[in-house]
Amino acid sequence: MVDPIGIKAGAVVDRGAVPMGASGAVAAVQPVARPEKIVESMAAEFSGAMASGAPVDGARVVELRAAIRAGRFTVSPQAIAERMLAMKQDWSGR
């Protein structure tokens, strides 16, 4: 069996101060480069670029609006349901 770390019951321990010699000169602390700032600024730059413009195909929107106004756009409930199920399965990892 392994002895526990620490003081054993009944042991006498001298907790007096330990004399130490003089210490040498301590060098000044030098600043350290912070790579986290680079990552943070890159993330901020990327999120700013993404927020500045929506990921929308403007030409496709114009085309769909024209098709709806002209009555050429048909809605397929089956296609919508299939795509919704595919998205759900993709999100849940199945």
Side-chain angles (χ1 to χ4, degrees):
M1 177 172 252
V2 178
D3 290 334
I5 298 174
I7 301 171
K8 294 181 181 177
V12 177
V13 177
D14 180 19
R15 294 186 183 257
V18 176
M20 296 186 65
S23 64
V26 177
V29 176
Q30 300 297 324
V32 177
R34 304 261 336 242
E36 297 88 23
K37 292 292 183 184
I38 296 169
V39 172
E40 288 174 6
S41 64
M42 288 174 59
E45 182 181 329
F46 180 71
S47 66
M50 292 301 292
S52 67
V56 176
D57 184 1
R60 177 78 173 137
V61 171
V62 170
E63 181 184 329
L64 288 173
R65 283 184 179 168
I68 291 169
R69 284 190 189 114
R72 296 185 319 255
F73 184 79
T74 58
V75 177
S76 171
Q78 183 176 356
I80 293 171
E82 287 173 356
R83 289 184 183 178
M84 288 176 69
L85 287 172
M87 284 187 346
K88 181 185 182 306
Q89 288 174 347
D90 187 39
W91 288 342
S92 63
R94 293 185 204 171

